[in-house]
Each structure stands twice: as structure tokens, then as C-alpha cells.
């Protein structure tokens, strides 16, 4: 614990003595008057440039990536210059998409609710659609009213639709997109929406796949007019720091704002939901617990690690959504397994369906042309999911489970003993396996061995920058102590010595004097076991399997 004296924090008060009630929000859209949130003005400015250019485009981002918050703020930001029709397809039930007549009727009603003032004849036109007059309820008739409205309006009209995923599995929506496209192409001659923004998780290009799963190669959709949307909606370290500064001005915890923002980013890579969830856990759950009695104790490195452990073991809506995608898309599972366990480099190939789907759902991101798991938290959650199927049947997991009490002494993790027993157990169980098995499964089995030992008390993650086919660095956080274990494939003495030197340099990054190496050696004459090496002022414990 970094604070030895309990410091009572109370929020500042507004004029009149009313206490602030801001919170970190993870449920629905954020509002600046009620929630601590990142300043997204620069993003709104970037989107407005596209609107000013008259672009039609989509905002496709993974679940809980801040789409609705951004769209709500954008509607307010644009309303002084444009008439903004801001809709949410979630408010339209399944019956609304049953056929064209019902869709037009429902859509007209939504527009009537979304806009305050209409020209009289335009309002009458929409009211006609909302009545039970199926004879005129066609998309052609609907768009003729839109054309008339755009032609007589003093301000350009912008259409924003959130949660278009609700509609993307039916032909009616495709026909609607086709009409938008047709009027977009005729804009030099015919009045039409100035800009259209569609937001959701699924890329509109995948509509055909969702309609006809037996013809997955047909991915052409009517939305081929869309401009590229390249606005970064993830949170940077400075974004997070700005939000924490707002929190700190209320609570005065004396946290190191820049350091805390950097630590949060290290675990989340700026994924909006995960950033807010970690902050909410530290603020509302960690603070006031036995080990972190007040807010200053919670807003520390140790408080963050505790929040990370809680988050990674949650069954929240985001994790359930990701898990569901693994079931729905078998190719996705194969790509993620390769990234997590085999160390095989996977290029971020835009034309590869599995890569596109993994990126669309937020599992991976493009890092210098290579596919990488989006963030450290997703990586740990995915490791746990993939390995959970083996907990009941894995001999190496059972070996660690039976002996886990011997690996912790006085609250300190004995990593040397862990490596020693892993080498013995692995050799007993899998010593006669071939090279291919060792290369693909060895590191996974070490993580299985480690899981019951640190479960609930510590945290383990893979340092993504070092993961490749021949090397993986594991970092263990256990009760405030850190341990670095390099897992590698043996490629001869010269290669091994270079690895030892690299590990020594890596220890400097963590300010550690002791490091660990686990080598999987295919040489039949190898000597398994542990040895200790002195590298300058550092100690290296090397285990050979």
C-alpha cells in the first residue's frame, strides 16, 4: 500500500452546497453534465469536415466503443448549421422491418418525433405515411417527400442513424440503402440529404453475407458510395489524463494523473468501455475495500491491478458479445488462436475475411501491418477462454492445482519453484512428444500450469512486443511484485546467449534485478532442469524442458 495515512476525500461542491454527482459511466451514452468523460471535441471537428464536404459514410466500431455518445454529441454540434435528423433503429421493433409499407410508416413516425419544425406540406406528407394507407407507403413516395423537403429547406439536411445493425438482416433495409445511393448519385440535379451517417458494429459490406450465409462470397452492397471514416475513436493517454484531471478536481486524491493515464492505456489500448470500467471499479469498488480504504489508496498502481483482476473475471455484456462471435465465426477462432499461442506472425490483410471480421468486432488492430490482439485485457480474457476447455482434462493444470500451496511463501510468489516443478511435470507428461507439439503447445501448457497458482491473487499477461514464433515474454504481477519470464524455443547456444542478453535489457524496463527463462529444447541430448546465471548485476534463472 502506498499510503500509510488514510486521507479522507470529499468532493467539491457546486454553488448552493449541492454535492457533485458525476460518475464513470459504462451503461449507455455519456453526458458531460453527469459523467466523467473524454473531451471529444477534436473528433467532432473531424467528423464535421466530412459532413461539410457532403460525405455519406459509416461509423463502424466494436461494441461499446463510444459510437452513441459521439453521435449524440455530433447532433448537437451540427444543429446550428444543419437540420439534423438523428434516429436510432433500436427504437423500431422487428415488425417495422417486416415489409416496405411498415418500414416507411415507422420511419416517417421516427422522423416526425426527431425534428421539431417542418414546412407544413412536408409534415403533412410524413403524417400521410404514418396513417394506415399502405397504397402510398412506398420507398419511392417517401423519398419524393424527402426530395421536396431538401429542395425547400434553407439549411442542408443531415441524416444520422445509429444501431443500423438492427436492420441489416433484411431486404427492406437494402432497398432503403439503394434509394439513398440513387439520390446521392443524382445530387447534382436532384435535392437530397446533404450527408448521411450510418453507425453500427457490422460493416455494411457484410449485409449480403448476413442475408445469404450460403453465398458468403457475395459481399457487394448498395453502400459502395461511402467515404472512408478514419477518425480515431479510441482514447489516447492525453484523453484519459484529461478525464482524470476532471475527476481529480472534484476528489483531490493526489494521484499522479499522467502516470495513471499511462497505466490505464497500457492495459486497454484506449478501448473506451475498458477505460471507463477500470476507472469506475477503482472509484466505486476498490476504494473503500479492506486493502484500499480510501480513494487515494485506490488510485495507485496497485489499485489499478486490483481493478484489472476484477474486470478480467467479469461476465459483462462486452465480453459476452465477444465470446458469442467466437461461436458464430469459426475462422475468427483460428486466427485468434494463432495470434495467442503459436507465435506465428499474422499480416493484417484487408481482403482476408477472418482478419476483417476480427478487426470489425474489436478483437484485433493493425500494428505496423501486422494483426495484434487489441489490448492486454482482451488478450488475458481470450487466453482464459481458450484454456478453460482444458482445465478439467489437462494433466499439467491438475499438477499445479495439487501443489499450488508450495509456490507461495509469506505472500511472495516463488517463481523459481514454479519453473522447477513445471519442468518436472511437463517432462513426466509430455516428454516423448515431437518438436511440433512442443513448439505449438509448450507455452500454452506453461500458462495452464500457472493459472491455478496465481488465480484470484495475481495477474499474468503477454508482452505483445516480444511475442513471436520463438519468443514470448510473460509478465506476472503478484501482490505488488513483478516477474518477467521469457518463454522461448531453443535454437542453439549462440541464439540462447542472445536471448539472455535481450532478457537482461528487458529487465531494465521493469527495474528488476532477477529474470527467468523457460526454454523448450528439441535436442534429444538436452539436460532438463534449472540453472542460475549471473549477468552483470542481474540474476537469470533458466529452466530447460
Amino acid at each position: 500500500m502506498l499510503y500509510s495515512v488514510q486521507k479522507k476525500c470529499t468532493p467539491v461542491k457546486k454553488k448552493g452546497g449541492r454535492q457533485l454527482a458525476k460518475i464513470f459511466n459504462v451503461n449507455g451514452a455519456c453526458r458531460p453534465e453527469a459523467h466523467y468523460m473524454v473531451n471529444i471535441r477534436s473528433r467532432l471537428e473531424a467528423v464535421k469536415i466530412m459532413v461539410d464536404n457532403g460525405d455519406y459514410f459509416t461509423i463502424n466500431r466494436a461494441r461499446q466503443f463510444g459510437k452513441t455518445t459521439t453521435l449524440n454529441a455530433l447532433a448537437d454540434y451540427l444543429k446550428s448549421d444543419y437540420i439534423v435528423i438523428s434516429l436510432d433503429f433500436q427504437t423500431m421493433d422487428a415488425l417495422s422491418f417486416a415489409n416496405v409499407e411498415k418500414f416507411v410508416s415507422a420511419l416517417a413516425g421516427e422522423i416526425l418525433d426527431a425534428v421539431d419544425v417542418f414546412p407544413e406540406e412536408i409534415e403533412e406528407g410524413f403524417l400521410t405515411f404514418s396513417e394506415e394507407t399502405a397504397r402510398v407507403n412506398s420507398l419511392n413516395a417517401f423519398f419524393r417527400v424527402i426530395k421536396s423537403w431538401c429542395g425547400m429547406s434553407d439549411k442542408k439536411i443531415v441524416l444520422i442513424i445509429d444501431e443500423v445493425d438492427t436492420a441489416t438482416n433484411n431486404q427492406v433495409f437494402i432497398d432503403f440503402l439503394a434509394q439513398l445511393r440513387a439520390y446521392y448519385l443524382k445530387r447534382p440535379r436532384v435535392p437530397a440529404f446533404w450527408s448521411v451517417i450510418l453507425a453500427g458494429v457490422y460493416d455494411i459490406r457484410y449485409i449480403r453475407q448476413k442475408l445469404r450465409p450460403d453465398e458468403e462470397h457475395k459481399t457487394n452492397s448498395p453502400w459502395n458510395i461511402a467515404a472512408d471514416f478514419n477518425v480515431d475513436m479510441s482514447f489516447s493517454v492525453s484523453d484519459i489524463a484529461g478525464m482524470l484531471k476532471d475527476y481529480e478536481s472534484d476528489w483531490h486524491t493526489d494521484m499522479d494523473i499522467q502516470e495513471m493515464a499511462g497505466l490505464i492505456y497500457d492495459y486497454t489500448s484506449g478501448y473506451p468501455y475498458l477505460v471507463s470500467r477500470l476507472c469506475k471499479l477503482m472509484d466505486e469498488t476498490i476504494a473503500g475495500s479492506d486493502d484500499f480504504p480510501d480513494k487515494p489508496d485506490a488510485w495507485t498502481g496497485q489499485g489499478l491491478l486490483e481493478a484489472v483482476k476484477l474486470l478480467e473475471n467479469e461476465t459483462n455484456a462486452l465480453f459476452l458479445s465477444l465470446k458469442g462471435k467466437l461461436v458464430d465465426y469459426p475462422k475468427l477462432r483460428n486466427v485468434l488462436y494463432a495470434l495467442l499461442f503459436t507465435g506465428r506472425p499474422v499480416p493484417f490483410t484487408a481482403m482476408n475475411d477472418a482478419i476483417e471480421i476480427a478487426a470489425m468486432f474489436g478483437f484485433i488492430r493493425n500494428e505496423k501491418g501486422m494483426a495484434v490482439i487489441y489490448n492486454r485485457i482482451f488478450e488475458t480474457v481470450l487466453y482464459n477462454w481458450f484454456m478453460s476447455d482444458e482445465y478439467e482434462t489437462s494433466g499439467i493444470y491438475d499438477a499445479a492445482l495439487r501443489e499450488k500451496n508450495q509456490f507461495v511463501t509469506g505472500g511472495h510468489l516463488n517463481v523459481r519453484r514454479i519453473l522447477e516443478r513445471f519442468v518436472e511435470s511437463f517432462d513426466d507428461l509430455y516428454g516423448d512428444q515431437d518438436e511440433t507439439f512442443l513448439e505449438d503447445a509448450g507455452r500454452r501448457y506453461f500458462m495452464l500450469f500457472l493459472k491455478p497458482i496465481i488465480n484470484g491473487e495475481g495477474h499474468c499477461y503477454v508482452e505483445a512486443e516480444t511475442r513471436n514464433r520463438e519468443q514470448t515474454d510473460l509478465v506476472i504481477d503478484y501482490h505488488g511484485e513483478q516477474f518477467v519470464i521469457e518463454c522461448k524455443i531453443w535454437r542453439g547456444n549462440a541464439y540462447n546467449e542472445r536471448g539472455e542478453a535481450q532478457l537482461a535489457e528487458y529487465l531494465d524496463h521493469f527495474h528488476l534485478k532477477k529474470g527467468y527463462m523457460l526454454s523448450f529444447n528439441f535436442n534429444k541430448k538436452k539436460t532438463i532442469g534449472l540453472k542460475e546465471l549471473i549477468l552483470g548485476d542481474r540474476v537469470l534463472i533458466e529452466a530447460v524442458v
Side-chain angles (χ1 to χ4, degrees), residues 318-336:
L318 174 60
F319 292 170
L320 288 175
S321 175
L322 294 178
K323 187 176 180 180
K325 300 301 183 293
L326 291 175
V327 176
D328 295 338
Y329 297 87
K331 290 181 181 179
L332 175 61
R333 186 181 184 94
N334 296 337
V335 168
L336 295 176

Side-chain angles (χ1 to χ4, degrees), residues 142-318:
F142 176 84
F143 273 90
R144 282 196 291 272
V145 175
I146 294 295
K147 181 181 71 171
S148 297
W149 186 14
C150 293
M152 69 176 62
S153 176
D154 293 332
K155 287 184 176 182
K156 296 181 174 71
I157 301 176
V158 175
L159 174 65
I160 301 174
I161 305 179
D162 194 9
E163 299 293 347
V164 292
D165 305 77
T166 305
T168 55
N169 61 347
N170 66 79
Q171 188 63 45
V172 172
F173 180 67
I174 289 181
D175 294 341
F176 174 67
L177 287 182
Q179 289 282 357
L180 287 174
R181 178 182 182 275
Y183 275 88
Y184 171 86
L185 295 175
K186 293 189 293 185
R187 280 195 310 177
R189 307 181 308 278
V190 176
F193 290 124
W194 177 251
S195 179
V196 175
I197 305 169
L198 306 180
V201 173
Y202 285 89
D203 191 319
I204 299 298
R205 291 173 298 172
Y206 286 85
I207 290 178
R208 293 292 185 186
Q209 287 191 11
K210 296 184 73 181
L211 279 173
R212 299 180 178 90
D214 57 324
E215 297 179 330
E216 291 189 4
H217 62 285
K218 292 187 177 181
T219 57
N220 56 311
S221 84
W223 203 239
N224 57 4
I225 56 171
D228 294 333
F229 181 79
N230 297 318
V231 178
D232 187 358
M233 292 175 63
S234 64
F235 295 164
S236 66
V237 174
S238 60
D239 287 333
I240 300 169
M243 179 173 63
L244 295 183
K245 185 177 180 180
D246 186 21
Y247 177 86
E248 184 68 6
S249 69
D250 288 345
W251 291 98
H252 308 296
T253 69
D254 292 333
M255 79 169 84
D256 186 325
I257 291 176
Q258 201 63 35
E259 179 183 41
M260 182 57 63
L263 289 172
I264 292 172
Y265 183 86
D266 286 345
Y267 279 93
T268 64
S269 296
Y271 197 107
Y273 171 83
L274 299 179
V275 171
S276 296
R277 185 58 182 158
L278 285 178
C279 291
K280 189 175 185 69
L281 286 169
M282 284 187 283
D283 180 52
E284 299 179 12
T285 303
I286 307 300
S289 64
D290 291 342
D291 292 331
F292 304 91
D294 210 341
K295 292 187 185 295
D297 302 294
W299 288 94
T300 60
Q302 281 305 107
L304 174 63
L305 289 177
E306 190 66 23
V308 168
K309 284 193 296 183
L310 291 177
L311 175 56
E312 290 174 347
N313 286 286
E314 283 185 342
T315 305
N316 56 52
L318 174 60

Side-chain angles (χ1 to χ4, degrees), residues 363-389:
F363 284 102
I364 64 172
R365 55 189 171 87
N366 188 346
E367 182 71 31
K368 298 178 181 178
M370 303 304 294
V372 298
I373 303 299
Y374 197 99
N375 55 59
R376 193 179 290 174
I377 289 174
F378 281 0
E379 186 168 83
T380 302
V381 170
L382 288 169
Y383 271 123
N384 290 339
W385 283 344
F386 276 106
M387 293 190 297
S388 63
D389 293 337

Side-chain angles (χ1 to χ4, degrees), residues 54 76 138 159 170 196 257 277 299 331 333 339 356 390 426 437 474 499 533:
D76 289 337
S138 69
L159 174 65
N170 66 79
V196 175
I257 291 176
R277 185 58 182 158
W299 288 94
K331 290 181 181 179
R333 186 181 184 94
L339 285 172
E356 285 190 314
E390 301 184 57
F426 191 89
F437 172 85
L474 300 179
L533 303 174

